[in-house]
Amino acid sequence: MSNATWLKLSSETLNGMMVAVLLATTASLFLISSGMHETAIIPIVSIVVVMVIGFALVKAFEYFRVEDTLLTA
């Protein structure tokens, strides 16, 4: 795969992370403002999970790009 492909995958992953984090933040703020403080932990934990998985994927894509790894079937 070319460098452009790995960069595109990294970019799309970061964009998806941003959307997921914004949605989870909105959900947690809504739950807190509705008085459901205990339930707000679910979106907050999901933010952490999305960030960890997303950054791991971006790091893997960058490793593949730098090492010029070819993925062939």
Side-chain angles (χ1 to χ4, degrees), residues 8-53:
K8 180 73 173 169
L9 285 171
S10 293
S11 173
E12 291 299 321
T13 301
L14 290 172
N15 288 340
M17 283 174 49
M18 185 171 60
V19 168
V21 167
L22 287 174
L23 288 174
T25 302
T26 303
S28 67
L29 290 174
F30 173 76
L31 289 170
I32 290 170
S33 68
S34 297
M36 296 184 273
H37 304 288
E38 299 83 19
T39 312
I41 193 70
I42 296 169
I44 294 170
V45 170
S46 70
I47 290 172
V48 174
V49 171
V50 166
M51 297 292 280
V52 168
I53 292 172

